[in-house]
Amino acid sequence: MAETEDFLGQEPHPVDDDLFKEPMKKRRRSDRDQRFRAFPSVEQSALKEYERLESRTRRVLSNTYQKLIQSVFLDDSIPNGVKYLINRLLALIEKPSLDPIYIGLFGSTGAGKSSLINAIIQQDMLLPVSGESICTSCIVQVSSGCCEQYEAKIHLLSDQEWKEELKNLTRLLHRAEEPSGEEEDAWGRDDAVEEAVWKLQLFYGNGAEGKNYEELLRAKPKGKIPTSRVITLKAEEAGELSVKLDPYIRTQRRGWDGESAETHIWPLIKLVEVTLPKSELIPEGVVLVDIPGTGDFNSKRDEMWKKTIDKCSVIWVISDIERVSGGRAHEDLLNESIKACQRGFCRDVALVVTKTDKLHLLEYLRERKVGNQAIQSQREAVLERNTVIKLQRNKMLKEKLKSKLPADLKILEASELVYTVSAQEYWQQGLLAEEETEIPKLREYIRRRLLDKKRRMVTTYVTEAFGLLLLTDSFNCAENLQNEYSHVSVLRRFVEEKIQLLERSIDQCFAHIERPLQEGVRDARTAYRRLLGACLVRSKGNQGFHQTLKAVCLKNGIYASRTLARIDLNEAITQPIYDRIDPVFGGIFRSGKPTDGLALMPHIDAFKHSLQEKMTEIGIRNGWKYDSYKRSFLIQEISAILGGLEGHILRKRRRIYESLTTSVQSDLKPCYEEAAQITGKKACERMKDVIRRGVDRQVAEGMFERAQQRMQHQFQQLKNGITEKVKGSIATMLTLASSQGDGLYKELADVKSEYKEMEKLHRSLREVAENAVLRRGMQDFLLRMSPSKAPPPSRFNS
């Protein structure tokens, strides 16, 4: 992403070709109403009010836009101020109603992610499930829409992306010399080789593993590949779509002789999108994402794996009840989720423990260490164990989050970080009541999350639209726009001073990372050999590791398998640096209103408030009280301009956070390439030796120090980008506020009726918020007063 990238929705787009563009059509009322089916009646009322506000605001903006277009349609030249206004109106009209909320279900194979999604969406077997092996083999996104049918889109690797993977697969299988002894045994057991052979056989047929890259390029695939690289499936019923979809997303077993076309193109699949029609349980605007736990050997799929994790605003770490108590895979998932809070959009992490109905009563009673009350039934034992797990894992997760994230983040205030669910009991209810499976609790979480986001989006949208109507109406108040140039000049000087102060504040903010970086580099220099050694050593020696290590080198230090834990040598040796910087890094980029001077956004907010206060002061002192339009517009535009900075900063945040590992990977690339060429006897040990010597050499030449400098450079680029954007945007705004210049303004169509309508909508925002609070209070009261649902009769009761 270029450093000069514009803020989303802030910079006016080119006007010459698109100035007279028709705004997008409004959604039909019947379609809009369908979006609320997943909500209880109380929440539906609030959403309908927000939808009404948004719809009426879009109508006002559209009417204003049409009037302005008509007033300048025949003009040879359009004043810059009018161009700015028309573009801003069009951008707001076409702004999406709500960016999707991505909820990532992140877990190891067999943890029950697909079963959980099926239960949440009330479709028992939509996604393939199995108690014996891996089922979902790629990223699967599930959402609801206003379509009439069930639909799935299977996205395939492009031709170039497949060629890249094919080249790596054939390089992995190529042997210049026949291995012998220990390495022959290692070859036969190597997971990386087995997967490479399996993919080539599945795609090209038996014997493909013996052909070289050029031969396979000329070979004809067994399956038919659409030129669009997208396969679309549709069905009237969920079961029908499930049957069609199954061969595309279920992991194909090695040695299986299936001959379906779907099976043969399976190695090309990188993403599956499933859309449900008008769901009564999952609201439109929410996307549930089944994310495999380790990434992928293919570079494009692995990049998509990372980006998918980073775009999730919520991550649920999914863990089987029998694996939740530890293990490297579980810890890796938690660590990856916490990193998503550092580098991505994630604001909420929770642990979802699945399959909680699995319990051997006699064993549990024998090992039971809590409670004095006698357990009378299987159900009581399951509920007691769920309570204990929640207490234990909630404390553990909160401590882990505190060690990596700033202490005042909202996620650390959450009362519930752990859910104990049972998809099987949700369907059967032979042991637990529906509420006790906690599937309804997850649905409620999803609804509240969407409702809160909709509230914030509509509030911002209506407020910004009101500011634009203030400006539009002011264009026709020429008597109030004269002799204001001197006031704007005062503001310009003030802005220049405040931007210099902002630059110093950002420097001070970013300076907090310097000491942890230095300490982390020191720690990394001390620990890198031990950390690298831990990645290169296996309990069975080199057996089963020879070609896996080669795969690591082919991918510049990273190997992701569907069955093994993810290997990332670059991340492993930089971990001591991340351990030092994580709390500070998270503190710099946290939202909210911290007062410790560490966070970046409060400095930008302070800059915004100082400008707004100055505008109010100048306005009152110099007669702007007779032109409230201009003052209100300037104050509102500053909020819009600086509000866009947060999205810009979030997008740069990932690049900054990953700069350490990216730098190390770049420095180590020559030694990875050298090790990848090694074949023959004792190749595994020779590869390890090349890697060790290469890392030693780079560390001696300042590899970690270079990584530190590159991260600091990224921080400097972010500061420069912020100040340049602020300078440019506010300069444009102040130019528009000045009445001097080359015909900046002209008489436009009368929009007073639209302005008055927008003023009413702006006032009604408060009423909607107050009504929502009252409804929520009434709902909570009714829930407290209602009798608890009795547990189901159970054959397990004793």
Side-chain angles (χ1 to χ4, degrees), residues 436-641:
E436 292 168 338
T437 68
E438 299 205 350
I439 300 297
K441 185 180 288 188
L442 293 178
R443 288 186 188 137
E444 181 186 3
Y445 172 90
I446 292 170
R447 291 195 304 268
R448 292 213 173 194
R449 187 92 187 183
L450 184 71
L451 185 60
D452 181 63
K453 186 169 183 178
K454 184 68 175 180
R455 174 187 58 78
R456 288 184 281 111
M457 175 266 163
V458 171
T459 300
T460 302
Y461 189 75
V462 173
T463 303
E464 191 170 347
F466 182 49
L468 277 180
L469 263 295
L470 283 172
L471 173 62
T472 308
D473 197 45
S474 73
F475 271 61
N476 287 326
C477 298
E479 70 277 7
N480 292 329
L481 292 172
Q482 302 302 317
N483 303 318
E484 297 293 348
Y485 184 73
S486 61
H487 307 328
V488 175
S489 297
V490 171
L491 267 177
R492 279 203 180 96
R493 291 193 296 272
F494 181 78
V495 167
E496 290 172 1
E497 294 172 3
K498 286 298 179 180
I499 286 178
Q500 292 176 1
L501 178 60
L502 177 63
E503 287 181 317
R504 291 196 295 271
S505 298
I506 295 176
D507 282 334
Q508 292 170 3
C509 172
F510 290 169
H512 287 93
I513 202 76
E514 293 179 4
R515 183 173 178 180
L517 262 176
Q518 293 169 355
E519 293 171 344
V521 166
R522 181 197 64 206
D523 294 347
R525 291 182 67 90
T526 302
Y528 79 89
R529 285 195 179 98
R530 173 179 56 80
L531 297 169
L532 182 63
C535 294
L536 298 179
V537 172
R538 290 292 179 269
S539 59
K540 295 182 179 180
N542 292 338
Q543 290 187 5
F545 191 55
H546 171 211
Q547 294 302 109
T548 297
L549 184 57
K550 185 171 185 178
V552 171
C553 296
L554 285 171
K555 307 302 293 184
N556 293 322
I558 301 172
Y559 177 63
S561 161
R562 300 181 193 277
T563 55
L564 297 179
R566 185 179 180 88
I567 299 172
D568 190 334
L569 303 185
N570 313 298
E571 188 176 279
I573 61 178
T574 54
Q575 191 56 48
I577 308 179
Y578 284 111
D579 289 341
R580 289 282 188 175
I581 70 168
D582 272 350
V584 177
F585 189 93
I588 289 173
F589 290 101
R590 71 187 184 272
S591 55
K593 297 182 179 180
T595 58
D596 56 7
L598 177 62
L600 174 60
M601 287 309 299
H603 293 298
I604 295 173
D605 287 340
F607 172 74
K608 176 182 74 175
H609 294 316
S610 67
L611 292 190
Q612 292 174 334
E613 289 172 1
K614 189 67 174 179
M615 287 174 183
T616 301
E617 174 194 326
I618 292 176
I620 293 174
R621 189 173 66 235
N622 295 287
W624 279 10
K625 61 184 177 182
Y626 301 112
D627 184 10
S628 61
Y629 305 99
K630 177 175 290 184
R631 186 175 71 249
S632 298
F633 159 68
L634 290 175
I635 291 174
Q636 174 56 36
E637 274 306 88
I638 283 180
S639 292
I641 290 169

Side-chain angles (χ1 to χ4, degrees), residues 252-287:
Q252 303 302 324
R253 296 180 181 178
R254 295 173 176 87
W256 185 66
D257 295 327
E259 291 295 329
S260 70
E262 297 91 341
T263 301
H264 293 313
I265 67 166
W266 185 86
L268 290 184
I269 297 172
K270 63 180 178 181
L271 172 67
V272 174
E273 294 179 295
V274 179
T275 305
L276 313 176
K278 306 183 181 84
S279 173
E280 295 186 2
L281 297 168
I282 296 301
E284 184 180 350
V286 172
V287 183

Side-chain angles (χ1 to χ4, degrees), residues 136-167:
T136 310
S137 57
C138 59
I139 295 172
V140 179
Q141 296 183 174
V142 180
S143 60
S144 68
C146 286
C147 53
E148 296 296 328
Q149 292 180 303
Y150 291 84
E151 182 177 293
K153 289 186 177 181
I154 296 106
H155 300 265
L156 308 179
L157 293 173
S158 69
D159 185 58
Q160 190 60 40
E161 289 163 357
W162 172 246
K163 286 179 180 178
E164 180 204 341
E165 176 160 10
L166 184 61
K167 184 177 294 184

Side-chain angles (χ1 to χ4, degrees), residues 394-409:
N394 194 78
K395 181 180 179 182
M396 179 280 300
L397 183 54
K398 190 160 287 191
E399 289 176 352
K400 195 171 188 67
L401 291 170
K402 282 181 178 178
S403 69
K404 295 288 185 179
L405 302 173
D408 58 352
L409 278 188

